[in-house]
Structure formats: structure tokens, C-alpha cells
Amino acid sequence: MTNYASEFLNESAEKAFDLDHRRIINYNIGKYDAAVERGLLKFSNLENSKRKAHVIKWKVMENLDKLLPEFEANFQRKGGKVIWANTAEEANAEILNIIKKAGAKSVIKSKSMVTEEIHLNEFLEGNHIETLESDLGEYIVQLLGQKPYHIVTPAMHLSKEDVAKLFNEKFGTPTDATPQQLTLKARELLREKYTSADVGITGGNFLIADTGSLALTENEGNARLTTTFPKIHIAVVGIEKIIPSMSDLDLFWPLLSTHGTGQNLTVYNTILGGPKQEGETDGPEEMYVILLDNGRTNLLAQKDQRQGLYCIRCGACLNACPVYKNIGGHTYESTYSGPIGSVITPHMQGMEDFKHLSFASSLCGKCSEVCPVKIDIHKMLLLNRRDSVEQGFVTKKEVYTWKGWKSGMMKRKMMDMLSGSWKNRLLKFLFRKSYGTNRAIPKVAPKSFSQTWKEENPEQ
Ligand code: SF4
């Protein structure tokens, strides 16, 4: 059985001291920070926009039972088909079913975290369906056999030199190829795949209830090609992605783009309302939306933490997080990394295996500060910690340590019973493992404040 917590600790310790990793991440996040600072200036009242988005998302969660059927009815009216999937297995089985029924052999995909969540690529490859990522970042990590490092920029951990080296090994391009040359090479390789693939699979940034449409937002145009050429389009979308009305995009699109990349608006924004209609020349003959639960209703049932479902996956909290910036995205071993990943993963993949993520935070609050939908992320982390203790996922050693700590802190006599040097020995004994070898455990003063005070003020 995988011990996710100890793997997380080991990998964090390694990554935090990997200077190359730090250099690349600092460089890429530095560029992101500068772009976002400029982008946010375009909002006349950013705080109001964020509040409004928060309220809309709150309403959505309160009315999911009405909005999802509304989307379904409107989408079906235009010939689209909706499939409800409770789990990743159900979603994968339904996708395979559609592919097999059509006699399809190859799939082209555009970037989608939800298909990462259900491990769709591995599943399809295991069933002998050729699956190709068309987003450049995703394509790069697919070539490397890696998972996306970041929910918006999957190859953020790589420098341009790393990508040039990879393309040289795979396709023989020069080792000093520029980003433009590398992009052109990827384009050349991918172009013919759009026209030959039988099925296009995407995620979805928003589902619009009142029109029954799917909104996709991207910078490369690959999602448009993925949804236009193949005869079948399947969109896999989490149930929380619903928004009530088309007019809400007016708010959510700029919030997503500015917080995601600093752009005022992402380059390609597409609204798809179903398969090709009579008389239309473009679009797929069949279009499916798979509405995925996969643990989301567990989170919905947590009144205090359901805010985690408001997330529009902009990635801003990851880029702001001092922990993420040091340990990187792969260390989390979960589809959604960074602060929001730490909030939602324990509810979606199990508290016992993933509770440790909620403890991997300094609780500085920067994540909550930057979130465009005002999720109280650092508070949610505390609530997860509470839940994990209440559910009994805590070691005996920890329980006794805190009991001892509490009694010591409540009674002055007990607190002063040990000298400073004995306290230091005790701390070393208790925390030497969890503190690691790269930093020193803080030293307790030789005498407590109370002892020092009494010595210096004998008359009081
Ligand atoms: S929690 Fe907020 S900041 Fe983080 S990815 Fe989601 S919307 Fe963006």
C-alpha cells in the first residue's frame, strides 16, 4: 500500500533543495506575477468582481440539483447527450463504450485536468486506443511520461533548454532550437492528427445551464481543432463547473484569464451548444457531456468545506503558495496540487491517504488573498486538519505529545520542571525525524520567561 504521507515528506525534502528546480520555478512564477499585476489593473473594482463571483458560485452549490438538470435538458434539446458518472471508472467505461461503438481507434485530447483525475490516457492506452495530447505543455509532459506539474501550465517545471533537449532526442530538432521553432515543430506533428483522429476529448471550463452549452477557454486553438475535426466530441466535466447563465461568462472569463495567466482575455474562447446542426458545415456529428461526480458530492456534503467546489482552476493559489514554490507540483501526488489540491483531495481521494496535504501549509493566507472566487482556502486547510483528527487519523504518539504539551502549558510548575537543556533534549527526541536533517530545531532558552522575571524582579 502506498504511504502517500511519507513519500510526500521524502520528495519534499529532496525538491526543496533542488536548486535547478527552484531557479526554473522562480523564473516562471516571476514572469507570471508581473503579467498578473498588469492584467488585474483592468478591473475597475476587482474586489467587487471577486465577491460577485463568490456569490454566484455559492448560489450554484445551493442549487446544483436544479441547474444540472436544466443544463441537461437544454443540451439534449440540441441533440447533445449527457451521461452522469459517479466515479472515474464509470466515466472511463462510458467513454470506451462510445469509442468502441463508433469503431474508433484514435483520440485527440485538449488540456483537461478532469481527464487527468480519471486517468483517462492510461485507461485508453490500456485498451489499445491511441491517445494524443494536443496542448503544447501537455504534449511535452506526455512525451516525458510525466503528469502535469501545474493545473494551468503543465510544463512549468521545465526550462526552454529542457524542452529543446527533449525535442532533439525525440524529433531531431537542433539542441539550441528557439521556443518558436519548437512550437512550429509541435504544430507540424500535431496538425495531421486532428484530421485523422476519430474522437476529440476535452474538459470544460464552464457549463452554462440556461443555454445548455459548454464553454472552453484556451490559448493555442487546439481545443477548437479537437472539437471541430473529429466526428465525435466527448467533454468530461466536473459537476461543479456549472454557471447559471451565459451572461455570467462576462465575469468569469476575465477573472479566469487574469488570474490564470495575466491576460485580459484568453486567446480562444469557445461556446459549444451541441453537435453539428442541419445545414451547418463544422462540428462533430455526435457530442457527449459526461458529468462527473467522483467525490465532489462528498465535498458538497461538508457544509464548511464545500467552498472548495467554487474553484475555477485558475492556478493563482499555486503560484502564490510558498510551499508549492519550494516543493513543486509533482510532489503532491494528486491531480490537483497546491493549496486548492490540499483542500479538495482528501475529500475526493480519501482523508486517510491525503490528510497530510492539509498540514503542509504555513497558513500564511496568500492563497485566499489571491483567489478570484474568494475561497477561504487556508481556513479550509484548518478544517481538514480538524476533520482528520476527528476521524481518528492521528498517531498515538501525536495524541500523547499534544496531551503532554497541553498539561505543561497549563501549569507553570510543570513548564518549569525541566531546565532549558532538558527541554531541548526532549524536543530533539520528539521532532528529530519530522524536522529533517536540513534545519535545526529551534532552541529553548536556558530559563523560562517566568524564572528570568522572578530573578530580575525579586521584590515582586
Ligand atoms: S482555489 Fe481559487 S486561486 Fe486556487 S485555483 Fe481555484 S479559483 Fe484559482
Side-chain angles (χ1 to χ4, degrees):
M1 211 176 91
T2 316
N3 187 335
Y4 290 97
S6 69
E7 274 186 12
F8 178 78
L9 278 178
N10 292 338
E11 279 173 37
S12 305
E14 208 175 287
K15 266 289 178 267
F17 293 92
D18 177 342
L19 296 184
D20 261 349
H21 173 258
R22 188 177 299 187
R23 180 180 51 78
I24 295 169
I25 293 309
N26 282 347
Y27 176 75
N28 286 336
I29 292 186
K31 276 182 26 187
Y32 162 89
D33 286 342
V36 170
E37 207 182 312
R38 279 194 306 273
L40 292 181
L41 291 175
K42 296 281 178 189
F43 282 88
S44 57
N45 192 332
L46 178 63
E47 190 55 25
N48 264 356
S49 300
K50 286 165 72 164
R51 262 194 221 133
K52 195 172 165 197
H54 182 91
V55 172
I56 293 173
K57 278 294 192 176
W58 168 76
K59 270 197 200 151
V60 164
M61 294 314 148
E62 297 298 313
N63 294 290
L64 259 191
D65 55 334
K66 297 182 196 76
L67 290 168
L68 288 169
E70 186 187 339
F71 165 80
E72 183 181 28
N74 288 331
F75 184 62
Q76 281 175 344
R77 197 167 303 135
K78 285 173 286 178
K81 291 179 188 133
V82 172
I83 295 168
W84 299 74
N86 284 318
T87 59
E89 291 73 30
E90 275 183 34
N92 283 336
E94 291 288 353
I95 294 167
L96 187 62
N97 198 16
I98 298 167
I99 292 173
K100 283 204 161 151
K101 239 166 67 188
K105 294 270 175 299
S106 63
V107 163
I108 185 117
K109 279 183 70 218
S110 74
K111 188 183 160 331
S112 146
M113 287 313 290
V114 82
T115 57
E116 292 293 334
E117 179 187 327
I118 62 174
H119 306 292
L120 181 63
N121 288 11
E122 295 87 331
F123 175 77
L124 291 180
E125 295 288 348
N127 282 283
H128 314 292
I129 309 289
E130 189 201 340
T131 311
L132 192 75
E133 292 290 349
S134 62
D135 171 271
L136 184 55
E138 286 280 348
Y139 183 56
I140 292 166
V141 290
Q142 189 183 31
L143 287 174
L144 283 168
Q146 292 181 356
K147 293 276 175 201
Y149 178 90
H150 187 283
I151 59 176
V152 176
T153 39
M156 189 196 243
H157 58 308
L158 302 171
S159 63
K160 64 180 192 307
E161 290 77 19
D162 293 331
V163 181
K165 188 167 166 266
L166 172 73
F167 272 48
N168 169 265
E169 283 163 16
K170 300 275 181 192
F171 313 118
T173 47
T175 43
D176 60 350
T178 62
Q180 285 80 359
Q181 288 168 325
L182 296 169
T183 310
L184 281 177
K185 182 70 194 169
R187 191 182 191 188
E188 175 197 316
L189 293 164
L190 288 169
R191 275 287 151 136
E192 54 143 313
K193 300 283 181 186
Y194 293 113
T195 46
S196 60
D198 305 304
V199 177
I201 298 184
T202 67
N205 295 95
F206 302 101
L207 290 172
I208 307 161
D210 67 351
T211 56
S213 348
L214 170 81
L216 290 173
T217 183
E218 43 138 0
N219 273 317
E220 297 170 19
N222 60 307
R224 280 197 179 169
L225 295 171
T226 302
T227 56
T228 313
F229 283 118
K231 287 199 168 73
I232 299 174
H233 171 206
I234 306 171
V236 191
V237 193
I239 52 172
E240 81 284 12
K241 289 292 185 78
I242 201 112
I243 51 172
S245 159
M246 177 85 87
S247 58
D248 295 321
L249 286 176
D250 193 29
L251 174 69
F252 282 103
W253 265 347
L255 274 181
L256 177 59
S257 56
T258 42
H259 288 81
T261 53
Q263 293 163 284
N264 300 133
L265 211 54
T266 314
V267 178
Y268 299 99
N269 292 289
T270 312
I271 299 170
L272 298 165
K276 180 162 64 179
Q277 306 291 303
E278 226 183 280
E280 286 181 355
T281 46
D282 293 325
E285 285 160 18
E286 293 172 41
M287 182 175 170
Y288 299 84
V289 168
I290 299 193
L291 291 174
L292 183 74
D293 179 345
N294 205 30
R296 285 161 175 77
T297 42
N298 295 342
L299 193 51
L300 190 68
Q302 310 294 318
K303 216 165 182 324
D304 293 338
Q305 283 118 302
R306 71 167 59 137
Q307 266 188 46
L309 292 171
Y310 297 6
C311 176
I312 57 171
R313 309 270 188 263
C314 71
C317 59
L318 282 66
N319 301 334
C321 177
V323 176
Y324 184 91
K325 279 194 257 195
N326 275 291
I327 66 170
H330 287 148
T331 309
Y332 288 76
E333 294 247 25
S334 56
T335 308
Y336 306 103
S337 55
I340 189 61
S342 303
V343 168
I344 63 177
T345 307
H347 299 277
M348 292 167 68
Q349 285 179 251
M351 186 61 86
E352 187 169 9
D353 280 340
F354 289 96
K355 65 177 190 312
H356 59 278
L357 298 182
S358 302
F359 291 83
S361 166
S362 62
L363 299 176
C364 67
K366 188 73 183 164
C367 47
S368 309
E369 191 186 309
V370 298
C371 178
V373 285
K374 290 187 87 61
I375 302 175
D376 224 344
I377 305 172
H378 66 300
K379 188 175 160 207
M380 311 281 114
L381 292 172
L382 276 175
L383 294 172
N384 277 359
R385 294 181 189 187
R386 175 203 66 189
D387 288 354
S388 78
V389 173
E390 279 176 8
Q391 289 170 31
F393 300 126
V394 58
T395 60
K396 285 223 164 63
K397 185 176 162 191
E398 198 177 326
V399 172
Y400 292 131
T401 304
W402 284 116
K403 267 194 181 154
W405 187 272
K406 189 177 163 193
S407 338
M409 296 304 270
M410 304 281 283
K411 287 195 191 110
R412 168 57 55 194
K413 258 193 188 161
M414 265 187 92
M415 217 203 291
D416 288 344
M417 205 161 72
L418 295 178
S419 68
S421 71
W422 273 105
K423 282 178 191 162
N424 283 324
R425 274 180 224 179
L426 184 66
L427 285 179
K428 218 171 172 183
F429 170 72
L430 290 172
F431 298 114
R432 70 188 186 288
K433 242 186 168 176
S434 46
Y435 242 69
T437 49
N438 289 306
R439 54 184 181 164
I441 295 175
K443 283 240 176 342
V444 175
K447 287 178 190 168
S448 71
F449 175 77
S450 156
Q451 288 165 330
T452 313
W453 180 268
K454 277 182 195 151
E455 278 174 22
E456 287 187 8
N457 303 278
E459 69 288 354
Q460 284 187 20

